[in-house]
Amino acid sequence: MSENCIFCKIVKGSLPSTKVYEDDEFFAFKDINPAAPVHILVVPKAHVVSMQDVQDDDAPWLGRMMALAPKIAAENGCRPGLQGGFRLVINNGDDGGQEVHHLHLHILGGQRPW
Ligand code: DGP
């Protein structure tokens, strides 16, 4: 946990969010400023700043986070099959457009146009 991190506060429950999923490792909630009809953020509960901090031994939990994404997408209204789908985005650092410095996976979906 990092004292001043808003996503750590959301994970802890000291800042409100619309939770859609939680397990021992991950917490997922609706983006406050949705860019698509479905816009969910998945965060590791551990405070990791960005993919810039990731090492080889982070591969297992990163893999689990990626494997979780299609389940969360389907449970939250992303349509199945080739005509459905979703976009996965991780912004990293200022040049990557990251505003909140706690690694998070955006799941964006829903019928277009957005
Ligand atoms: P990024 O630019 O990748 O760091 O995206 C940060 C996202 O986090 C952005 O889409 C808005 C969202 N966000 C920021 N603050 C809050 C908050 O307090 N609650 C929720 N639910 N989402 C937030």
Side-chain angles (χ1 to χ4, degrees):
M1 292 285 160
S2 174
E3 284 274 302
N4 295 316
C5 170
I6 56 170
F7 287 176
C8 283
K9 289 180 183 169
I10 284 175
V11 167
K12 228 172 27 181
S14 62
L15 203 65
S17 69
T18 305
K19 179 172 88 171
V20 299
Y21 177 85
E22 180 174 13
D23 65 22
D24 289 347
E25 284 184 298
F26 305 108
F27 192 94
F29 54 100
K30 293 190 178 176
D31 194 291
I32 204 167
N33 185 21
V38 178
H39 191 169
I40 308 285
L41 302 175
V42 186
V43 303
K45 287 186 169 179
H47 183 79
V48 179
V49 173
S50 82
M51 291 296 291
Q52 292 169 295
D53 287 354
V54 162
Q55 309 292 327
D56 288 352
D57 62 359
D58 291 305
W61 71 259
L62 281 165
R64 288 193 291 276
M65 186 172 74
M66 295 304 280
L68 192 55
K71 297 177 195 164
I72 293 176
E75 284 166 7
N76 286 277
C78 292
R79 297 179 302 150
L82 292 179
Q83 286 165 342
F86 49 86
R87 177 179 291 174
L88 299 179
V89 176
I90 301 177
N91 297 322
N92 299 282
D94 288 349
D95 286 352
Q98 185 179 15
E99 289 169 5
V100 179
H101 295 286
H102 179 133
L103 191 149
H104 49 283
L105 176 64
H106 293 256
I107 303 174
L108 298 134
Q111 195 159 359
R112 287 178 182 264
W114 294 351

